[in-house]
Amino acid sequence: MERTPIQKATSNDGKTVAIISYLTIIGLIAALMMNNKEKTALGQFHIRQSIGISVTGLALGLLRFVPGIGGIAISIVGLLLFIAIVLGLMGAFSGAQKPLPFIGEKYQEWFNMIS
């Protein structure tokens, strides 16, 4: 009986990089480093989306300092960003390059230097 070598899973399709990019800032940094070694279109797409979500979260985090409505606004923004991360992860798991609703196309434009 002839033995066939076991195929190891690789990130050639970019799914691994895409998924890792949504898992905290450390995951984003790891995904950037992994994508630099072996560039994939899927990995680049999801890294841009993840950077966009992170930058949006940091920028809108300043709302907490607005007296009166800051607490409510940051709660709503936090929920929307959580939904964006879930949508991004779902796209990464399926291997799709579907931009996030409303702002995903802009993230691709703004962060096109990520390659």
Side-chain angles (χ1 to χ4, degrees):
M1 186 159 101
E2 189 176 310
R3 288 187 156 187
T4 57
I6 296 174
Q7 295 277 336
K8 290 187 177 181
T10 62
S11 62
N12 289 341
D13 58 359
K15 271 188 169 182
T16 305
V17 171
I19 293 167
I20 290 174
S21 70
Y22 292 103
L23 304 177
T24 71
I25 296 296
I26 295 170
L28 179 58
I29 293 168
L32 280 166
M33 292 169 47
M34 289 171 63
N35 197 55
N36 279 337
K37 290 182 183 176
E38 189 176 327
K39 293 188 185 293
T40 62
L42 182 66
Q44 291 171 343
F45 177 85
H46 284 285
I47 287 172
R48 288 185 199 119
Q49 295 290 295
S50 180
I51 289 173
I53 292 169
S54 299
V55 169
T56 302
L58 289 172
L60 294 178
L62 297 174
L63 289 175
R64 84 180 72 185
F65 299 114
V66 176
I69 64 165
I72 295 169
I74 200 69
S75 297
I76 293 169
V77 167
L79 179 64
L80 292 174
L81 290 175
F82 177 74
I83 291 170
I85 290 170
V86 169
L87 289 173
L89 273 170
M90 287 171 44
F93 276 114
S94 68
Q97 291 187 19
K98 184 178 176 190
L100 297 169
F102 306 112
I103 191 116
E105 288 292 332
K106 289 293 182 188
Y107 289 161
Q108 293 301 312
E109 290 175 30
W110 295 337
F111 302 111
N112 66 357
M113 73 291 243
I114 307 296
S115 59

